[in-house]
Amino acid sequence: MTSKDQLESKIQKLEAELKTFKEHLKNYKEVTLETAVLGDVLEDGSIVLKKENGLALLVAPKSTEVVCQWSETFPEVFDKLQEEGFNPSQWFVPTQEQLTLAYDYIPSHFSADMYWSSTEIDSVIVWRKSFHLGGTISSFKERLSRARAFRCVTY
């Protein structure tokens, strides 16, 4: 059985916790695409990579990342986007330059691993980006690497 003192102590702790929650709520500022800055995470989990002249470059949430072989269509990437509730037709696999931008500005949102770019060198070799060391490396398409979608939107 719980004593009166234990109950009063529990009430005091809950009231202090409630006060903290109310303070957080009072200071809460919803991040929208219009108010977001570089590195902000939007409500859908997308990460803002760049904003300029009414255009924003967004990175899909980490939960949509897949490991796959390179492909012109990357079906695993778009299947995962759909599974996570996104419209796959709004997304693309980034170029080598876009991955470098992500490495330069929001590396903490990526695994320390290799990522496919959509930039082909020839019919069997493409560029991959290392989020461990930062280098851009040529690679045969049949290797396995991570892939993550990006998208451009207006705001």
Side-chain angles (χ1 to χ4, degrees):
M1 184 164 244
T2 307
S3 73
K4 181 179 177 183
D5 289 341
Q6 289 173 320
L7 289 172
E8 287 176 349
S9 174
K10 182 71 172 175
I11 288 170
Q12 286 176 343
K13 287 178 185 175
L14 289 171
E15 285 174 341
E17 190 175 10
L18 181 60
K19 182 179 178 182
T20 302
F21 287 145
K22 285 180 177 180
E23 191 65 30
H24 287 344
L25 185 59
K26 186 170 77 174
N27 295 326
Y28 178 75
K29 182 180 174 188
E30 186 174 358
V31 177
T32 65
L33 188 54
E34 291 76 19
T35 63
V37 296
L38 177 72
D40 278 351
V41 178
L42 302 176
E43 186 178 342
D44 69 357
S46 299
I47 304 121
V48 177
L49 177 55
K50 185 175 183 178
K51 285 178 66 175
E52 189 175 302
N53 300 324
L55 289 175
L57 181 60
L58 305 178
V59 178
K62 199 171 197 172
S63 63
T64 65
E65 191 173 282
V66 298
V67 175
C68 61
Q69 289 183 326
W70 192 92
S71 163
E72 286 188 20
T73 59
F74 285 95
E76 300 92 342
V77 173
F78 299 104
D79 288 348
K80 186 67 173 177
L81 283 166
Q82 189 159 24
E83 181 184 306
E84 294 284 324
F86 292 93
N87 179 349
S89 68
Q90 299 173 346
W91 298 84
F92 57 88
V93 173
T95 65
Q96 165 194 342
E97 292 82 8
Q98 290 164 333
L99 280 172
T100 297
L101 195 64
Y103 177 80
D104 289 345
Y105 293 105
I106 58 167
S108 64
H109 290 280
F110 287 79
S111 300
D113 210 342
M114 300 295 292
Y115 284 82
W116 288 121
S117 81
S118 60
T119 309
E120 293 181 86
I121 297 170
D122 61 31
S123 63
V124 293
I125 299 176
V126 295
W127 290 111
R128 293 189 305 163
K129 182 70 179 177
S130 168
F131 275 76
H132 176 65
L133 301 173
T136 303
I137 299 153
S138 61
S139 178
F140 289 105
K141 293 178 178 180
E142 67 268 3
R143 297 193 68 164
L144 290 176
S145 282
R146 293 182 184 274
R148 184 102 156 260
F150 286 38
R151 74 175 172 168
C152 278
V153 295
T154 59
Y155 64 94

